[in-house]
Amino acid sequence: NGIMGIRQPPTGDPTLLQQLLRDREHINADVFSMCIADSGGHLAVGGPNTSYHRGEVKHLKMRLSGGFFNVQLTELSIAGSIATDFRNTIIDSGTTWTYFGSQPYQTIRRGIEDFC
């Protein structure tokens, strides 16, 4: 269920995220964004908080598959290095591990090294 409990359970009580998204008095869109970093993180429900971002915020459609939120990641750009060729991408607040194929990994690593 992850650290933040966003994964939809097969049965039982709704998750915190599900409860927040049902609050139509305060939330008018089924949108959330999540950022987890060494210095903390943010969960925005109902739309992104643009003050946390340097550039344009893009929305991705998610699908629920096997109890996980999945997105179709097509491209990731870091410091001019553009990685493609992604497979299944799961949104998970409960792991610090990220797995990539060889090509995306090498491109992302090069982008991070160039940036730092």
Side-chain angles (χ1 to χ4, degrees):
N1 203 355
I3 293 169
M4 298 177 66
I6 64 172
R7 179 181 173 189
Q8 178 151 355
T11 60
D13 294 331
T15 65
L16 174 61
L17 179 61
Q18 289 172 312
Q19 292 174 43
L20 290 170
L21 290 172
R22 288 181 185 159
D23 179 7
R24 291 300 179 201
E25 184 178 335
H26 299 98
I27 306 294
N28 61 6
D30 288 337
V31 176
F32 75 92
S33 62
M34 178 177 64
C35 174
I36 298 175
D38 289 340
S39 59
H42 305 279
L43 174 68
V45 179
N49 182 335
T50 55
S51 69
Y52 298 142
H53 305 276
R54 294 184 191 166
E56 179 186 359
V57 175
K58 297 192 181 209
H59 293 88
L60 299 172
K61 288 187 180 248
M62 293 192 313
R63 63 181 169 74
L64 192 61
S65 175
F68 293 98
F69 287 114
N70 295 271
V71 296
Q72 180 61 48
L73 185 60
T74 57
E75 182 179 285
L76 181 76
S77 175
I78 301 174
S81 295
I82 299 173
T84 58
D85 194 28
F86 294 96
R87 288 176 260 166
N88 190 32
T89 306
I90 296 172
I91 306 301
D92 182 1
S93 66
T95 185
T96 56
W97 294 100
T98 303
Y99 299 94
F100 296 107
S102 296
Q103 185 274 329
Y105 169 78
Q106 293 298 330
T107 304
I108 291 167
R109 180 177 174 166
R110 183 172 52 254
I112 290 171
E113 289 172 346
D114 289 348
F115 183 79
C116 296

